[in-house]
Amino acid sequence: MKNRVRLTSPFFHFLTALVCLIGMAGSAYHLYLSELENIRPQKNTTEWTSHFIASDYAPQNVSYSQSAEDLITASISRKEKEAELLKLKQEKALAEELAKKQLEEKRKALAAKTKTPVKKPAPVVKPAETKPVPETIIPDLVPAPLQEPLLLSPTQSQYISEADLMLTESPSLEFEWESVPRAQKYYFELFDKTNKLILSKYTTKTQIVLDDELILLSDEGAFSWRITASAIINNKSLSQTSEKQTFIIGLEPIAPIVIDKSNLFVE
């Protein structure tokens, strides 16, 4: 009985405290692992994924997603419209370049057509006898006819769409022709597709811009125009009218841009 350890001995107290400390350390380590598992992002075999909760589908989040989708749609639509306008401007530039070449060829042909040969002066014949020269009456000098006006724009058979009219800030259509030497004023005439005169104006310039009068071109089809140059020289009225030049008005609208929203992804 002397060798038994009593329950109230210091060794028993030490052993009890050690067991409690080990239990408390195990509980703390288990709690640490649980908290670490809750804050660690879950990872599957292929990629990291996020967990959606009910607040992700709140009305304000849905509205924000819709606004983001609308912004993306508007941005795509604006970019495509800008590309369409750029394409139209490039096509117009190519058409103007072609029109300039045709105009240069027409100008050369017109110059060759109106060129008059220079006559050599007749030889002077001296009178056989010296007699007083009778007084001669010099009639009024007859001025040479005016040159035919050369129409520049719109060119022959040029197609003008609604988009071409809208490229500037205010819709307008400009008619331009070359200056005629000695001409004092010009008479502009515009005819509809039935060859009926719908507009006429006098001007001293070499261009006329239609803005408020564009309503006269509200129908599709072929229209034509011409210019008459006029002047009064030596009390003589002179005028020269160009040939009619036809252009085509097309008012078809630009095809609507269809956007496939199925491939859009909004986070």
Side-chain angles (χ1 to χ4, degrees), residues 76-93:
I76 295 174
S77 177
R78 184 175 64 255
K79 293 295 183 182
E80 293 185 353
K81 287 183 179 179
E82 290 177 356
E84 184 71 18
L85 286 178
L86 179 60
K87 181 180 178 181
L88 290 174
K89 289 182 179 180
Q90 292 175 349
E91 292 177 354
K92 185 178 180 181

Side-chain angles (χ1 to χ4, degrees), residues 90-186:
Q90 292 175 349
E91 292 177 354
K92 185 178 180 181
L94 292 176
E96 289 178 352
E97 186 67 23
L98 180 61
K100 286 182 180 179
K101 292 182 180 180
Q102 294 176 351
L103 185 63
E104 187 65 26
E105 295 177 356
K106 187 175 181 181
R107 185 184 293 112
K108 291 180 181 179
L110 186 61
K113 179 181 177 181
T114 58
K115 187 176 180 180
T116 55
V118 180
K119 295 183 179 180
K120 295 182 179 180
V124 179
V125 179
K126 296 182 178 181
E129 299 179 359
T130 304
K131 295 181 180 180
V133 179
E135 183 179 357
T136 57
I137 300 176
I138 302 176
D140 292 339
L141 296 177
V142 178
L146 295 178
Q147 182 179 342
E148 179 183 343
L150 182 60
L151 308 184
L152 300 180
S153 176
T155 57
Q156 178 66 28
S157 302
Q158 179 178 347
Y159 181 83
I160 301 176
S161 64
E162 185 179 13
D164 295 331
L165 299 176
M166 297 298 177
L167 288 179
T168 57
E169 295 181 358
S170 57
S172 60
L173 180 60
E174 180 179 347
F175 294 84
E176 187 178 2
W177 57 92
E178 274 196 355
S179 175
V180 176
R182 300 180 299 147
Q184 297 170 352
K185 60 182 178 179
Y186 302 94

Side-chain angles (χ1 to χ4, degrees), residues 35-105:
E35 293 296 330
L36 183 62
E37 186 68 22
N38 290 333
I39 65 174
R40 178 184 300 171
Q42 297 184 1
K43 184 178 181 182
N44 58 10
T45 56
T46 57
E47 59 178 357
W48 293 92
T49 60
S50 58
H51 294 279
F52 294 95
I53 58 178
S55 61
D56 293 333
Y57 298 93
Q60 61 271 19
N61 293 336
V62 175
S63 176
Y64 174 79
S65 300
Q66 184 65 33
S67 300
E69 182 178 357
D70 293 341
L71 287 175
I72 294 174
T73 303
S75 176
I76 295 174
S77 177
R78 184 175 64 255
K79 293 295 183 182
E80 293 185 353
K81 287 183 179 179
E82 290 177 356
E84 184 71 18
L85 286 178
L86 179 60
K87 181 180 178 181
L88 290 174
K89 289 182 179 180
Q90 292 175 349
E91 292 177 354
K92 185 178 180 181
L94 292 176
E96 289 178 352
E97 186 67 23
L98 180 61
K100 286 182 180 179
K101 292 182 180 180
Q102 294 176 351
L103 185 63
E104 187 65 26
E105 295 177 356

